[in-house]
Amino acid sequence: DGGITQSPKYLFRKEGQNVTLSCEQNLNHDAMYWYRQDPGQGLRLIYYSQIVNDFQKGDIAEGYSVSREKKESFPLTVTSAQKNPTAFYLCASRQQGRDQPQHFGDGTRLSIL
Amino acid sequence: KNQVEQSPQSLIILEGKNCTLQCNYTVSPFSNLRWYKQDTGRGPVSLTIMTFSENTKSNGRYTATLDADTKQSSLHITASQLSDSASYICVVSVNNQGGKLIFGQGTELSVKP
């Protein structure tokens, strides 16, 4: 079955620690995205990638890093520089084309210990 | 500034009743408007997409409308079911920006028996 898989479902971070969230897709989509979702707010774009080995900052990239070494994979690292990392993180992918939808994974909930 | 505002913030209805959710946007240039359903702890799933020239579109018990002149959209749910309990997110795509999306904050719908 085609789709987007995010892991882990729940993640806890200690002070000063970097953590990496996994996102894998088998939809053969070129574009992939990372969003952050906080209560009462719309999704905010962290990073996106239109093609392998290339990515751009979104609206709230500070304290985060990504890589896109393979078409299927777009991991997000939450670094210790991100002072308020507690949130629900959503990964999405999209086929190129004007009205193509973004397909979302089921998210990773990150909390501070 | 590109913005999407949704109302109400939350809504409680009885099973079998109808309801209408509202979305106002100030996004330019406009490409399309999509409604997503997000179950608790899951990723959003696309319900409908509407382009500039479309006024109404249905997907089962969901009917979306778009007034491009007033920049308003609505999502009407008929004969609500318990499984309709979710957050409904209005998302507007910005034209000529590689699929950039502007997300509303969502309407939390609770359907009670």
Short mmCIF file of all heavy atoms in Angstrom, two decimals, chain A residues 9 33 35 37 40-45 50 59 88 90 94 98-107 109, chain B residues 9 30-32 34 36 38 41-46 49 51 89 93 95 97-101 103-105:
data_model
loop_
_atom_site.label_atom_id
_atom_site.label_comp_id
_atom_site.label_asym_id
_atom_site.label_seq_id
_atom_site.Cartn_x
_atom_site.Cartn_y
_atom_site.Cartn_z
N LYS A 9 6.19 7.27 16.67
CA LYS A 9 4.93 7.96 16.90
C LYS A 9 5.08 8.97 18.03
O LYS A 9 4.51 10.06 17.98
CB LYS A 9 3.85 6.93 17.26
CG LYS A 9 2.46 7.52 17.45
CD LYS A 9 1.87 8.02 16.14
CE LYS A 9 0.43 8.46 16.33
NZ LYS A 9 -0.10 9.08 15.09
N TYR A 33 7.87 17.59 2.50
CA TYR A 33 7.71 18.75 3.39
C TYR A 33 7.72 18.32 4.84
O TYR A 33 7.27 17.21 5.18
CB TYR A 33 6.36 19.44 3.11
CG TYR A 33 6.13 19.80 1.66
CD1 TYR A 33 5.68 18.84 0.75
CD2 TYR A 33 6.32 21.10 1.19
CE1 TYR A 33 5.45 19.16 -0.58
CE2 TYR A 33 6.09 21.43 -0.13
CZ TYR A 33 5.66 20.45 -1.01
OH TYR A 33 5.43 20.77 -2.33
N TYR A 35 6.22 19.91 8.54
CA TYR A 35 5.42 20.93 9.21
C TYR A 35 5.44 20.71 10.72
O TYR A 35 5.58 19.59 11.19
CB TYR A 35 3.96 20.86 8.76
CG TYR A 35 3.72 21.21 7.31
CD1 TYR A 35 3.68 20.22 6.33
CD2 TYR A 35 3.50 22.53 6.92
CE1 TYR A 35 3.45 20.54 5.01
CE2 TYR A 35 3.26 22.86 5.59
CZ TYR A 35 3.24 21.85 4.65
OH TYR A 35 2.99 22.17 3.33
N GLN A 37 2.88 21.43 14.04
CA GLN A 37 1.51 21.77 14.41
C GLN A 37 1.43 22.00 15.91
O GLN A 37 1.79 21.12 16.69
CB GLN A 37 0.54 20.65 13.99
CG GLN A 37 -0.93 21.01 14.18
CD GLN A 37 -1.85 19.95 13.61
OE1 GLN A 37 -1.58 18.77 13.66
NE2 GLN A 37 -2.98 20.40 13.05
N GLY A 40 -4.27 25.18 18.32
CA GLY A 40 -4.89 26.46 17.99
C GLY A 40 -4.20 27.22 16.88
O GLY A 40 -4.59 28.36 16.59
N GLN A 41 -3.19 26.62 16.26
CA GLN A 41 -2.48 27.29 15.17
C GLN A 41 -2.53 26.44 13.91
O GLN A 41 -2.63 25.21 13.97
CB GLN A 41 -1.02 27.52 15.54
CG GLN A 41 -0.80 28.46 16.71
CD GLN A 41 0.67 28.80 16.87
OE1 GLN A 41 1.38 28.99 15.89
NE2 GLN A 41 1.13 28.86 18.11
N GLY A 42 -2.41 27.11 12.78
CA GLY A 42 -2.30 26.38 11.52
C GLY A 42 -0.93 25.73 11.40
O GLY A 42 0.02 26.11 12.09
N LEU A 43 -0.82 24.75 10.52
CA LEU A 43 0.47 24.11 10.29
C LEU A 43 1.48 25.13 9.77
O LEU A 43 1.15 25.98 8.94
CB LEU A 43 0.32 23.00 9.25
CG LEU A 43 -0.07 21.62 9.74
CD1 LEU A 43 -1.48 21.59 10.29
CD2 LEU A 43 0.10 20.59 8.63
N ARG A 44 2.71 25.01 10.26
CA ARG A 44 3.77 25.92 9.83
C ARG A 44 4.88 25.13 9.17
O ARG A 44 5.31 24.10 9.70
CB ARG A 44 4.28 26.73 11.02
CG ARG A 44 3.26 27.72 11.57
CD ARG A 44 3.85 28.53 12.72
NE ARG A 44 4.04 27.72 13.90
CZ ARG A 44 4.76 28.12 14.97
NH1 ARG A 44 5.34 29.31 14.95
NH2 ARG A 44 4.86 27.34 16.00
N LEU A 45 5.36 25.63 8.04
CA LEU A 45 6.35 24.93 7.24
C LEU A 45 7.74 25.11 7.82
O LEU A 45 8.20 26.24 8.04
CB LEU A 45 6.30 25.46 5.80
CG LEU A 45 7.22 24.82 4.79
CD1 LEU A 45 6.87 23.34 4.58
CD2 LEU A 45 7.14 25.57 3.46
N GLN A 50 12.23 19.87 -3.10
CA GLN A 50 11.55 19.63 -4.38
C GLN A 50 12.22 18.50 -5.16
O GLN A 50 11.63 17.93 -6.09
CB GLN A 50 11.57 20.90 -5.24
CG GLN A 50 10.97 22.12 -4.56
CD GLN A 50 9.47 22.26 -4.82
OE1 GLN A 50 8.76 21.27 -4.88
NE2 GLN A 50 9.01 23.48 -4.95
N ASP A 59 9.14 28.61 6.85
CA ASP A 59 8.90 29.81 7.66
C ASP A 59 9.53 29.76 9.05
O ASP A 59 9.76 30.79 9.67
CB ASP A 59 7.38 30.02 7.80
CG ASP A 59 6.71 30.20 6.45
OD1 ASP A 59 7.28 30.90 5.60
OD2 ASP A 59 5.61 29.63 6.25
N PHE A 88 3.56 18.63 17.50
CA PHE A 88 3.22 17.51 16.64
C PHE A 88 3.84 17.81 15.28
O PHE A 88 3.59 18.85 14.69
CB PHE A 88 1.69 17.40 16.56
CG PHE A 88 1.18 16.16 15.91
CD1 PHE A 88 1.61 14.91 16.32
CD2 PHE A 88 0.24 16.22 14.88
CE1 PHE A 88 1.11 13.75 15.73
CE2 PHE A 88 -0.26 15.07 14.29
CZ PHE A 88 0.18 13.83 14.72
N LEU A 90 4.51 16.88 11.33
CA LEU A 90 3.90 16.20 10.20
C LEU A 90 4.80 16.29 8.97
O LEU A 90 5.31 17.35 8.63
CB LEU A 90 2.54 16.82 9.88
CG LEU A 90 1.41 16.48 10.85
CD1 LEU A 90 0.27 17.47 10.72
CD2 LEU A 90 0.91 15.07 10.61
N ARG A 94 4.32 15.24 -2.19
CA ARG A 94 3.42 15.74 -3.22
C ARG A 94 3.99 15.43 -4.59
O ARG A 94 5.19 15.59 -4.84
CB ARG A 94 3.25 17.24 -3.05
CG ARG A 94 2.40 17.95 -4.07
CD ARG A 94 2.30 19.43 -3.72
NE ARG A 94 1.59 20.17 -4.74
CZ ARG A 94 2.17 20.78 -5.76
NH1 ARG A 94 3.48 20.73 -5.90
NH2 ARG A 94 1.45 21.43 -6.63
N ARG A 98 0.08 21.28 -10.74
CA ARG A 98 -0.55 22.45 -10.14
C ARG A 98 -1.53 22.12 -9.02
O ARG A 98 -1.50 22.69 -7.95
CB ARG A 98 -1.26 23.25 -11.23
CG ARG A 98 -1.94 24.50 -10.72
CD ARG A 98 -2.71 25.18 -11.82
NE ARG A 98 -3.64 26.14 -11.31
CZ ARG A 98 -3.59 27.45 -11.59
NH1 ARG A 98 -2.66 27.92 -12.36
NH2 ARG A 98 -4.48 28.27 -11.07
N ASP A 99 -2.44 21.21 -9.21
CA ASP A 99 -3.50 20.95 -8.24
C ASP A 99 -3.31 19.63 -7.49
O ASP A 99 -4.25 19.09 -6.93
CB ASP A 99 -4.87 20.97 -8.93
CG ASP A 99 -5.23 22.36 -9.44
OD1 ASP A 99 -4.79 23.34 -8.83
OD2 ASP A 99 -5.93 22.45 -10.47
N GLN A 100 -2.09 19.14 -7.46
CA GLN A 100 -1.84 17.89 -6.75
C GLN A 100 -1.85 18.13 -5.24
O GLN A 100 -1.26 19.10 -4.76
CB GLN A 100 -0.50 17.30 -7.18
CG GLN A 100 -0.46 16.85 -8.62
CD GLN A 100 -1.47 15.76 -8.90
OE1 GLN A 100 -1.65 14.84 -8.10
NE2 GLN A 100 -2.15 15.87 -10.02
N PRO A 101 -2.49 17.26 -4.47
CA PRO A 101 -2.56 17.46 -3.02
C PRO A 101 -1.28 17.01 -2.33
O PRO A 101 -0.53 16.19 -2.86
CB PRO A 101 -3.73 16.56 -2.61
CG PRO A 101 -3.66 15.43 -3.59
CD PRO A 101 -3.23 16.06 -4.90
N GLN A 102 -1.06 17.53 -1.16
CA GLN A 102 -0.02 17.00 -0.29
C GLN A 102 -0.61 15.83 0.50
O GLN A 102 -1.71 15.93 1.05
CB GLN A 102 0.52 18.08 0.65
CG GLN A 102 1.31 19.15 -0.08
CD GLN A 102 2.07 20.06 0.86
OE1 GLN A 102 2.19 19.80 2.05
NE2 GLN A 102 2.61 21.16 0.32
N HIS A 103 0.13 14.74 0.54
CA HIS A 103 -0.27 13.57 1.31
C HIS A 103 0.54 13.56 2.60
O HIS A 103 1.76 13.68 2.56
CB HIS A 103 0.01 12.29 0.51
CG HIS A 103 -0.78 12.20 -0.75
ND1 HIS A 103 -1.97 11.51 -0.83
CD2 HIS A 103 -0.57 12.73 -1.98
CE1 HIS A 103 -2.44 11.61 -2.05
NE2 HIS A 103 -1.63 12.33 -2.77
N PHE A 104 -0.15 13.40 3.72
CA PHE A 104 0.50 13.52 5.01
C PHE A 104 0.72 12.16 5.67
O PHE A 104 -0.08 11.23 5.50
CB PHE A 104 -0.35 14.38 5.96
CG PHE A 104 -0.33 15.83 5.62
CD1 PHE A 104 -1.21 16.35 4.68
CD2 PHE A 104 0.57 16.69 6.25
CE1 PHE A 104 -1.19 17.70 4.37
CE2 PHE A 104 0.59 18.04 5.93
CZ PHE A 104 -0.29 18.55 4.99
N GLY A 105 1.79 12.08 6.46
CA GLY A 105 1.97 10.95 7.36
C GLY A 105 1.13 11.16 8.62
O GLY A 105 0.42 12.16 8.74
N ASP A 106 1.23 10.24 9.56
CA ASP A 106 0.43 10.30 10.78
C ASP A 106 1.14 10.99 11.94
O ASP A 106 0.67 10.93 13.07
CB ASP A 106 -0.04 8.91 11.19
CG ASP A 106 -1.26 8.48 10.38
OD1 ASP A 106 -1.97 9.37 9.85
OD2 ASP A 106 -1.50 7.26 10.28
N GLY A 107 2.27 11.60 11.67
CA GLY A 107 2.88 12.50 12.63
C GLY A 107 3.74 11.85 13.70
O GLY A 107 3.64 10.64 13.97
N ARG A 109 4.81 12.93 17.71
CA ARG A 109 4.62 13.87 18.82
C ARG A 109 5.90 13.92 19.63
O ARG A 109 6.32 12.92 20.21
CB ARG A 109 3.44 13.47 19.69
CG ARG A 109 3.11 14.54 20.75
CD ARG A 109 1.75 14.32 21.37
NE ARG A 109 0.65 14.41 20.42
CZ ARG A 109 0.13 15.54 19.95
NH1 ARG A 109 0.62 16.70 20.35
NH2 ARG A 109 -0.88 15.50 19.11
N GLN B 9 -14.18 28.22 15.99
CA GLN B 9 -12.98 27.52 16.44
C GLN B 9 -13.33 26.08 16.82
O GLN B 9 -12.55 25.16 16.58
CB GLN B 9 -12.39 28.25 17.63
CG GLN B 9 -11.02 27.77 18.04
CD GLN B 9 -10.40 28.67 19.10
OE1 GLN B 9 -11.00 29.67 19.51
NE2 GLN B 9 -9.20 28.34 19.54
N PHE B 30 -4.12 33.48 -5.88
CA PHE B 30 -4.83 32.28 -5.47
C PHE B 30 -4.67 31.18 -6.52
O PHE B 30 -4.77 31.44 -7.71
CB PHE B 30 -6.31 32.63 -5.30
CG PHE B 30 -7.21 31.47 -5.00
CD1 PHE B 30 -7.47 31.10 -3.71
CD2 PHE B 30 -7.82 30.75 -6.04
CE1 PHE B 30 -8.32 30.03 -3.43
CE2 PHE B 30 -8.66 29.69 -5.77
CZ PHE B 30 -8.91 29.33 -4.46
N SER B 31 -4.42 29.96 -6.05
CA SER B 31 -4.37 28.82 -6.96
C SER B 31 -5.55 27.89 -6.74
O SER B 31 -6.30 27.62 -7.67
CB SER B 31 -3.06 28.05 -6.79
OG SER B 31 -3.02 26.94 -7.65
N ASN B 32 -5.69 27.38 -5.52
CA ASN B 32 -6.82 26.52 -5.21
C ASN B 32 -7.05 26.50 -3.71
O ASN B 32 -6.21 26.96 -2.93
CB ASN B 32 -6.62 25.10 -5.75
CG ASN B 32 -5.40 24.43 -5.17
OD1 ASN B 32 -5.32 24.18 -3.97
ND2 ASN B 32 -4.44 24.12 -6.03
N ARG B 34 -8.43 23.91 -0.57
CA ARG B 34 -8.68 22.52 -0.24
C ARG B 34 -9.15 22.42 1.21
O ARG B 34 -8.66 23.15 2.08
CB ARG B 34 -7.39 21.71 -0.44
CG ARG B 34 -7.58 20.22 -0.54
CD ARG B 34 -6.21 19.54 -0.72
NE ARG B 34 -5.58 19.81 -2.00
CZ ARG B 34 -5.78 19.14 -3.12
NH1 ARG B 34 -6.64 18.13 -3.13
NH2 ARG B 34 -5.15 19.46 -4.22
N TYR B 36 -9.26 19.80 4.40
CA TYR B 36 -8.68 18.57 4.93
C TYR B 36 -9.43 18.18 6.20
O TYR B 36 -9.88 19.03 6.96
CB TYR B 36 -7.21 18.76 5.31
CG TYR B 36 -6.22 18.68 4.16
CD1 TYR B 36 -5.89 19.80 3.41
CD2 TYR B 36 -5.55 17.49 3.88
CE1 TYR B 36 -4.96 19.73 2.38
CE2 TYR B 36 -4.62 17.41 2.85
CZ TYR B 36 -4.33 18.54 2.11
OH TYR B 36 -3.41 18.46 1.10
N GLN B 38 -8.73 16.09 9.75
CA GLN B 38 -7.65 15.53 10.56
C GLN B 38 -8.23 14.88 11.81
O GLN B 38 -8.71 15.57 12.71
CB GLN B 38 -6.62 16.60 10.96
CG GLN B 38 -5.44 16.05 11.72
CD GLN B 38 -4.40 17.10 12.05
OE1 GLN B 38 -4.67 18.30 12.05
NE2 GLN B 38 -3.17 16.65 12.32
N GLY B 41 -4.55 12.75 16.45
CA GLY B 41 -3.34 11.95 16.41
C GLY B 41 -2.99 11.40 15.03
O GLY B 41 -2.11 10.53 14.92
N ARG B 42 -3.65 11.88 14.00
CA ARG B 42 -3.39 11.42 12.64
C ARG B 42 -3.02 12.60 11.75
O ARG B 42 -3.12 13.77 12.14
CB ARG B 42 -4.62 10.72 12.06
CG ARG B 42 -5.16 9.57 12.89
CD ARG B 42 -4.22 8.39 12.93
NE ARG B 42 -3.99 7.82 11.62
CZ ARG B 42 -4.74 6.87 11.06
NH1 ARG B 42 -5.82 6.43 11.68
NH2 ARG B 42 -4.43 6.38 9.87
N GLY B 43 -2.57 12.30 10.53
CA GLY B 43 -2.30 13.36 9.58
C GLY B 43 -3.55 13.80 8.85
O GLY B 43 -4.52 13.05 8.77
N PRO B 44 -3.55 15.01 8.30
CA PRO B 44 -4.73 15.49 7.54
C PRO B 44 -4.92 14.70 6.26
O PRO B 44 -3.96 14.25 5.64
CB PRO B 44 -4.35 16.95 7.22
CG PRO B 44 -3.26 17.31 8.17
CD PRO B 44 -2.51 16.04 8.43
N VAL B 45 -6.20 14.56 5.89
CA VAL B 45 -6.56 13.85 4.65
C VAL B 45 -7.42 14.79 3.82
O VAL B 45 -8.37 15.39 4.32
CB VAL B 45 -7.34 12.56 4.96
CG1 VAL B 45 -7.81 11.90 3.67
CG2 VAL B 45 -6.47 11.59 5.76
N SER B 46 -7.10 14.91 2.53
CA SER B 46 -7.82 15.83 1.66
C SER B 46 -9.26 15.37 1.42
O SER B 46 -9.50 14.20 1.11
CB SER B 46 -7.09 15.95 0.32
OG SER B 46 -7.79 16.81 -0.55
N ILE B 49 -11.07 19.72 -3.32
CA ILE B 49 -10.25 20.80 -3.85
C ILE B 49 -11.13 21.65 -4.75
O ILE B 49 -11.97 21.12 -5.48
CB ILE B 49 -9.03 20.29 -4.65
CG1 ILE B 49 -8.25 21.49 -5.22
CG2 ILE B 49 -9.45 19.31 -5.73
CD1 ILE B 49 -6.98 21.11 -5.94
N THR B 51 -10.86 25.03 -7.46
CA THR B 51 -10.09 26.03 -8.17
C THR B 51 -10.91 27.30 -8.33
O THR B 51 -12.09 27.34 -7.97
CB THR B 51 -9.65 25.51 -9.55
OG1 THR B 51 -10.82 25.14 -10.29
CG2 THR B 51 -8.76 24.28 -9.39
N ILE B 89 -9.62 21.46 8.35
CA ILE B 89 -8.63 22.50 8.06
C ILE B 89 -8.83 23.01 6.64
O ILE B 89 -8.89 22.22 5.69
CB ILE B 89 -7.20 21.96 8.22
CG1 ILE B 89 -7.01 21.38 9.63
CG2 ILE B 89 -6.19 23.07 7.98
CD1 ILE B 89 -5.69 20.66 9.83
N SER B 93 -3.73 27.32 -1.57
CA SER B 93 -2.45 27.20 -2.28
C SER B 93 -2.14 28.52 -2.99
O SER B 93 -3.01 29.10 -3.64
CB SER B 93 -2.52 26.06 -3.30
OG SER B 93 -1.32 25.96 -4.01
N ASN B 95 -0.42 30.60 -5.86
CA ASN B 95 0.00 30.34 -7.23
C ASN B 95 1.45 30.79 -7.45
O ASN B 95 1.92 31.74 -6.81
CB ASN B 95 -0.93 31.09 -8.20
CG ASN B 95 -0.92 30.47 -9.57
OD1 ASN B 95 -0.30 29.45 -9.80
ND2 ASN B 95 -1.61 31.11 -10.50
N GLN B 97 4.24 29.62 -6.53
CA GLN B 97 5.20 29.48 -5.43
C GLN B 97 5.43 28.01 -5.11
O GLN B 97 5.58 27.62 -3.96
CB GLN B 97 4.73 30.24 -4.18
CG GLN B 97 4.79 31.75 -4.32
CD GLN B 97 4.68 32.48 -3.00
OE1 GLN B 97 5.04 31.96 -1.95
NE2 GLN B 97 4.15 33.69 -3.05
N GLY B 98 5.44 27.20 -6.15
CA GLY B 98 5.81 25.80 -5.98
C GLY B 98 4.95 25.02 -5.02
O GLY B 98 5.44 24.15 -4.31
N GLY B 99 3.67 25.32 -4.99
CA GLY B 99 2.77 24.57 -4.12
C GLY B 99 2.74 25.04 -2.69
O GLY B 99 2.29 24.30 -1.80
N LYS B 100 3.20 26.25 -2.41
CA LYS B 100 3.17 26.76 -1.02
C LYS B 100 1.73 26.83 -0.53
O LYS B 100 0.84 27.30 -1.23
CB LYS B 100 3.79 28.16 -0.95
CG LYS B 100 3.82 28.74 0.46
CD LYS B 100 4.52 30.07 0.50
CE LYS B 100 4.44 30.70 1.88
NZ LYS B 100 5.14 29.87 2.90
N LEU B 101 1.52 26.33 0.68
CA LEU B 101 0.20 26.26 1.28
C LEU B 101 0.10 27.20 2.48
O LEU B 101 1.03 27.33 3.26
CB LEU B 101 -0.11 24.84 1.73
CG LEU B 101 -0.02 23.75 0.67
CD1 LEU B 101 -0.34 22.39 1.28
CD2 LEU B 101 -0.97 24.04 -0.49
N PHE B 103 -2.27 27.54 5.76
CA PHE B 103 -3.21 26.72 6.54
C PHE B 103 -4.03 27.59 7.49
O PHE B 103 -3.51 28.49 8.16
CB PHE B 103 -2.44 25.70 7.38
CG PHE B 103 -1.79 24.60 6.58
CD1 PHE B 103 -0.58 24.81 5.96
CD2 PHE B 103 -2.40 23.36 6.47
CE1 PHE B 103 0.02 23.79 5.22
CE2 PHE B 103 -1.80 22.34 5.75
CZ PHE B 103 -0.59 22.56 5.12
N GLY B 104 -5.33 27.28 7.57
CA GLY B 104 -6.14 27.83 8.64
C GLY B 104 -5.85 27.08 9.94
O GLY B 104 -5.17 26.04 9.94
N GLN B 105 -6.37 27.60 11.04
CA GLN B 105 -6.08 26.99 12.34
C GLN B 105 -7.00 25.80 12.63
O GLN B 105 -6.79 25.08 13.61
CB GLN B 105 -6.19 28.03 13.46
CG GLN B 105 -7.61 28.38 13.88
CD GLN B 105 -8.27 29.42 12.99
OE1 GLN B 105 -7.97 29.55 11.80
NE2 GLN B 105 -9.19 30.18 13.57
#
